[in-house]
């Protein structure tokens, strides 16, 4: 039994002719392909595309605070102090939020009321940006524990901002995620 294959000169010439185009291609294509592999590896680690970041609107705090000023209207006013934050890794587009019940134009009746469900516009927010604000609420709302704010919600749907976490967009007396 022979350990090595025996080739004739004709077989060797045919093999060399077949390898010649491969060698030519490799001599010109290999360096750019190698460079592309290095650059691609640096831009896309592990050969995977990186996902784009998402915003994440979060109500950090909300609490009613008594306003001691007597405005002469017979109403005991409180301020609902609210801080919300984009804790995501991408900017948020503009959005709407629902405050209820507060002073303003009521979502349902269109009338100016002391205890109304009010839709407000906000944003856009950069990643990491916080906003602190307040809304007028009555002592009646505070005592009955009816107050709340719901980010990215216009009163009828779940909003328009695609977020990494949709469950932290609200703060109410009943459920305060802060």
């Amino acid at each position: 039994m022979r350990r090595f294959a025996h080739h004739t000169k004709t077989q060797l010439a045919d093999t060399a002719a077949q390898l010649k185009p491969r060698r030519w291609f490799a001599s010109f294509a290999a360096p750019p392909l190698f460079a592309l592999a290095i650059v691609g590896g640096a831009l896309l680690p592990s050969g995977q595309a990186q996902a784009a970041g998402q915003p994440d609107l979060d109500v950090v705090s909300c609490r009613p605070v008594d306003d001691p000023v007597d405005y002469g209207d017979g109403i005991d006013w409180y301020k609902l102090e609210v801080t919300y934050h984009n804790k995501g890794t991408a900017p948020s587009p503009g959005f709407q939020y629902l405050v209820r019940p507060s002073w303003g134009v009521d979502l349902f009746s269109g009338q100016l009321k002391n205890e109304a469900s009010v839709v407000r516009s906000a944003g856009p927010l950069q990643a990491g940006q916080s906003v602190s604000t307040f809304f007028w609420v009555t002592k009646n709302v505070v005592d009955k524990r009816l107050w709340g704010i719901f980010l990215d919600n216009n009163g009828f749907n779940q909003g328009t901002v695609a977020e990494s976490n949709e469950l932290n967009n609200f703060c109410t007396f009943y459920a305060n995620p802060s």
Side-chain angles (χ1 to χ4, degrees), residues 57-73:
L57 302 174
D58 180 19
V59 178
V60 178
S61 67
C62 66
R63 65 188 183 111
V65 176
D66 190 11
D67 183 6
V69 176
D70 181 0
Y71 294 99
D73 57 6

Side-chain angles (χ1 to χ4, degrees), residues 100-167:
R100 62 177 297 267
S102 72
W103 179 84
V105 176
D106 185 63
L107 170 69
F108 302 105
S109 70
Q111 301 297 312
L112 189 61
K113 294 184 175 182
N114 289 341
E115 296 178 5
S117 293
V118 180
V119 172
R120 307 264 174 147
S121 294
L125 291 178
Q126 296 300 315
Q129 183 179 357
S130 292
V131 173
S132 293
T133 189
F134 72 92
F135 306 94
W136 292 108
V137 296
T138 65
K139 183 177 185 335
N140 181 47
V141 168
V142 174
D143 288 348
K144 290 184 177 178
R145 300 180 173 141
L146 299 173
W147 50 269
I149 181 170
F150 305 87
L151 299 179
D152 194 26
N153 184 318
N154 69 4
F156 296 107
N157 64 31
Q158 297 304 309
T160 58
V161 179
E163 300 178 57
S164 57
N165 180 359
E166 297 282 355
L167 301 177

